[in-house]
Amino acid sequence: MSIIFRVRGLATATRLLNPFKVAVIGTGPGGFYTAHHLLNKSSPDKQIHLDFFEKLPTPFGLSRYGVAPDHPEVKNCEEFMTNIMADFKDSDRHRVRFIGNVEIGKDIKLKELEENYNAIVLAYGCTSADNKLNVRGTDSPGIISARQFVNWYNGHPDCYNTENPYKPPPLDKIEDVTIIGNGNVALDVARMLLADPKQHWHATDISVEAEELLEKSTIKNVNIVARRGILESAFSNKEIRELFELKDAKFEPLEEGLLERIATKKLGRVDKRRVSLLEKYNKPISAEEKSRRKWTLRYLLSPVEFITRDGGIKETRFVKNEPVDDPLLPGRVKPTDKFVELKNELVILSIGYQGTSIEGFEEIGIWFDDNKLHNRGGRVLSQISKGETKENLTYKKGWYTSGWIKNGPKGVIAVTMMDSFDTAQNILEDLTNGDYIKVEEGKDIIDSDVFKSLSDVIYWDDWKKLDNYEIKEGDKLGKTRYKVCNKNEMIDICK
Ligand code: FAD
Ligand code: NAP
């Protein structure tokens, strides 16, 4: 028996000397939930050295820069990352580092990662681009993407750079806004435009610049427009209820006949609830409510032209759609020969984010297209060469993916979490089977010439300085956090 123990002890010691090295690219929910599972579920004889790489100086991805400021409870997920750093930064078994302000693909090449890590998890999200509309006038001034608007009110450093800061729409000069798309992002944007800045937004971590402009807002009407019908609405019931219940804005009734046409008897629970919510709030506006801001939901309309005059957008022309009458094509619509124009001085396109590739995928043979990384259960697939068929697919050994870039730009944080656990479980399985990238022992990327040439790398302790600063300054202003938005300023505070 003692021999077995001694052999086991030796195996453990060897493992401890040669930790399993993992790089996680991106510190949004996809990245930190994968790391959480890996570190907590690895077998006791495995030691993991995990490095988080983040292109921004700050962690948390869309939890910090996407989730609406009035949803602080959603941001509680950030505790997972904070706990990982507290529990494993220098623990006996695992070691975890946050390496911020380092963009993978640019500052550090993918090939360099392959030389240093046994496993690499691509969890870099889908926030660099958005879907486009192929409609006349799309590039006119006054048509903006929801992604950029969200970045602006959430204080994303891309909008607040010194050289070329984002110019927000002139909310203090316009009255009518059209939002195209009716997903939860569209509803966040609508809430931002409709709710009272002092009562609703001031106490949150909204960017101070956004709050100041919203205080001067002259907006009166917001139309949220979808190309399909009520049952195909992309928003969730909780989010639409929140908008209905805003004290500062009034819902204008739906187009007549839309609700009445729905056969409620055949609906599932979620759809029934959706219809009953719409019925509840679909009431005429009373005389005393007439002066308030108004918003409504419009359905079965596809934009066909943005009409500009005097250098600005004045109207959007939509073709009216009708449902395709075919039980095999549920939810499909087709255009009619009828058109409608909506008056607007600002159009916000909220038609989905888009995944982009990282420089070097082709070179090392990673298969990316169609908004996402091709993968099976988070194991990244190799690019198929000309002449090869999809039956010949192989895995790109040691490369994994989690979060939105794994599945495309959809899914709430709870879904991202469960799915990231799946990726992590497959990494652990491959680790047990010896199926990982073999790297030179004792090598550490931060000793490499490339790494040493990087300036202003932000480590966890640096970020904590910024974190504490933001909370302290926020406290003085009666806000949960005062977000520092300019990257240079962030780095100065971190250092
Ligand atoms: P992200 O959160 O985008 O994280 C990716 C990280 O990778 C970022 O930090 C990014 O800076 C970093 N990165 C990118 N490129 C590189 C690179 N080359 N090198 C290093 N790092 C890189 N879900 C909810 O449950 N509730 C909500 O209220 C909610 N609100 C949302 C609001 C908006 C506007 C959006 C767009 C989404 C919202 N979601 C919400 C969905 C939720 O944000 C996602 O499920 C989740 O953030 C996806 O996580 P991720 O890690 O894949 O991507
Ligand atoms: P989304 O839910 O996919 O909604 C996209 C919307 O754009 C849909 O209405 C879609 O209509 C429309 N659209 C797409 N292409 C179009 C086109 N060419 N022309 C006209 N309309 C078009 O995306 P999202 O709103 O960006 O949200 C992304 C994810 O984040 C979702 O999973 C969402 O739930 C999550 N999120 C959650 C919260 C929250 O929980 N509070 C907040 C924000 C975001 P069709 O359906 O007809 O394609």
Side-chain angles (χ1 to χ4, degrees):
M1 204 162 76
S2 64
I3 291 175
I4 293 172
F5 273 141
R6 235 177 283 145
V7 172
R8 271 201 193 138
L10 201 63
T12 309
T14 315
R15 193 63 250 171
L16 287 173
L17 281 177
N18 299 313
F20 184 63
K21 292 168 66 189
V22 183
V24 175
I25 317 308
T27 55
F32 63 69
Y33 282 123
T34 306
H36 182 269
H37 191 91
L38 272 179
L39 296 162
N40 286 289
K41 301 287 176 191
S42 60
S43 68
D45 64 336
K46 297 274 189 302
Q47 186 190 27
I48 294 180
H49 281 188
L50 186 144
D51 288 339
F52 283 111
F53 287 94
E54 170 56 58
K55 79 169 175 187
L56 297 176
T58 52
F60 311 137
L62 280 172
S63 176
R64 181 175 160 103
Y65 291 121
V67 171
D70 59 343
H71 285 171
E73 72 291 349
V74 177
K75 294 171 192 262
N76 288 342
C77 67
E78 294 171 8
E79 279 173 23
F80 273 79
M81 170 100 189
T82 308
N83 291 342
I84 288 172
M85 296 310 297
D87 294 346
F88 300 118
K89 202 157 133 273
D90 298 303
S91 85
D92 289 343
R93 192 151 76 91
H94 303 316
R95 185 206 66 198
V96 180
R97 299 183 293 202
F98 170 79
I99 301 174
N101 201 25
V102 173
E103 183 169 349
I104 296 302
K106 279 203 180 125
D107 298 324
I108 294 186
K109 305 278 175 235
L110 301 181
K111 267 198 171 310
E112 271 135 12
L113 291 181
E114 257 189 337
E115 286 165 14
N116 283 277
Y117 294 94
N118 302 111
I120 299 138
V121 185
L122 296 161
Y124 62 91
C126 295
T127 52
S128 313
D130 23 52
N131 288 331
K132 301 277 175 276
L133 273 185
N134 189 13
V135 166
R136 192 149 23 125
T138 305
D139 296 326
S140 312
I143 301 175
I144 64 167
S145 83
R147 182 180 62 93
Q148 278 181 316
F149 190 68
V150 168
N151 277 352
W152 170 70
Y153 67 64
N154 272 327
H156 193 291
D158 282 359
C159 289
Y160 294 84
N161 60 64
T162 319
E163 301 75 34
N164 185 22
Y166 173 70
K167 213 166 159 267
L171 304 180
D172 53 345
K173 294 187 180 63
I174 59 175
E175 295 192 351
D176 301 289
V177 182
T178 298
I179 302 176
I180 295 181
N182 72 0
N184 286 327
V185 171
L187 267 48
D188 280 356
V189 167
R191 232 171 37 259
M192 186 54 66
L193 296 172
L194 293 165
D196 179 76
K198 276 217 167 65
Q199 301 298 322
H200 193 92
W201 295 113
H202 174 73
T204 71
D205 67 357
I206 186 175
S207 107
V208 168
E209 193 171 301
E211 189 187 330
E212 279 169 7
L213 182 54
L214 285 165
E215 270 175 25
K216 293 186 246 160
S217 165
T218 46
I219 286 170
K220 290 202 171 135
N221 297 301
V222 175
N223 280 301
I224 304 171
V225 186
R227 59 182 166 182
R228 299 192 290 150
I230 289 181
L231 296 179
E232 288 74 48
S233 300
F235 55 71
S236 34
N237 290 342
K238 184 173 160 287
E239 275 59 36
I240 195 69
R241 190 184 325 102
E242 210 177 344
L243 204 55
F244 280 132
E245 288 180 356
L246 271 188
K247 283 193 234 77
D248 318 305
K250 193 68 199 144
F251 179 69
E252 258 190 319
L254 293 165
E255 191 190 319
E256 248 184 70
L258 271 179
L259 264 175
E260 294 72 8
R261 280 201 291 272
I262 297 173
T264 40
K265 267 197 189 136
K266 291 187 192 152
L267 299 181
R269 192 180 54 85
V270 176
D271 282 340
K272 265 201 180 123
R273 180 84 192 113
R274 167 167 303 169
V275 173
S276 74
L277 268 171
L278 289 177
E279 282 168 348
K280 178 175 168 194
Y281 291 96
N282 196 38
K283 301 272 156 34
I285 299 183
S286 65
E288 59 275 18
E289 287 167 334
K290 282 239 156 68
S291 60
R292 287 174 39 196
R293 274 186 184 150
K294 292 178 203 73
W295 68 280
T296 196
L297 296 166
R298 295 191 176 250
Y299 287 98
L300 295 166
L301 297 177
S302 288
V304 288
E305 187 179 357
F306 297 109
I307 301 161
T308 54
R309 272 194 301 276
D310 309 325
I313 168 105
K314 293 290 179 265
E315 279 171 6
T316 304
R317 187 170 161 80
F318 294 88
V319 62
K320 288 189 172 190
N321 297 322
E322 63 185 13
V324 171
D325 193 13
D326 181 345
L328 294 176
L329 298 170
R332 285 276 185 93
V333 294
K334 59 177 185 200
T336 64
D337 55 4
K338 297 189 186 74
F339 295 86
V340 65
E341 276 96 32
L342 291 183
K343 190 171 151 239
N344 49 228
E345 296 139 300
L346 173 68
V347 175
I348 304 183
L349 302 177
S350 185
I351 55 173
Y353 285 48
Q354 203 178 68
T356 50
S357 62
I358 282 188
E359 202 183 310
F361 277 166
E362 235 170 271
E363 192 191 344
I364 66 166
I366 281 179
W367 188 17
F368 178 95
D369 63 28
D370 244 0
N371 240 349
K372 60 179 193 295
L373 277 159
H374 289 269
N375 71 91
R376 298 257 161 88
R379 294 181 174 103
V380 170
L381 290 166
S382 299
Q383 178 74 50
I384 35 176
S385 329
K386 262 199 191 129
E388 281 182 323
T389 61
K390 290 197 174 177
E391 283 72 56
N392 301 343
L393 288 176
T394 51
Y395 293 117
K396 177 80 186 149
K397 189 195 268 193
W399 288 82
Y400 301 88
T401 179
S402 282
W404 274 19
I405 200 62
K406 171 182 177 187
N407 299 304
K410 59 180 189 305
V412 293
I413 290 172
V415 171
T416 299
M417 175 183 78
M418 294 314 292
D419 196 68
S420 302
F421 290 167
D422 280 350
T423 296
Q425 196 53 40
N426 286 334
I427 301 175
L428 290 174
E429 195 182 301
D430 292 350
L431 162 63
T432 309
N433 295 334
D435 206 2
Y436 50 82
I437 305 167
K438 305 291 182 293
V439 294
E440 195 185 307
E441 280 168 26
K443 216 173 164 198
D444 189 344
I445 197 157
I446 70 170
D447 297 328
S448 67
D449 290 342
V450 176
F451 197 90
K452 282 183 187 150
S453 71
L454 300 176
S455 54
D456 299 325
V457 174
I458 302 295
Y459 296 101
W460 190 254
D461 292 344
D462 301 327
W463 147 249
K464 287 309 288 178
K465 279 188 216 156
L466 176 61
D467 186 31
N468 290 334
Y469 174 87
E470 288 189 338
I471 293 170
K472 219 170 80 204
E473 291 303 304
D475 203 37
K476 289 183 199 162
L477 298 168
K479 296 171 72 64
T480 48
R481 172 184 295 274
Y482 164 79
K483 268 189 186 163
V484 179
C485 308
N486 179 279
K487 197 157 142 182
N488 299 336
E489 220 180 294
M490 285 173 165
I491 292 167
D492 282 350
I493 296 165
C494 284
K495 298 289 178 188

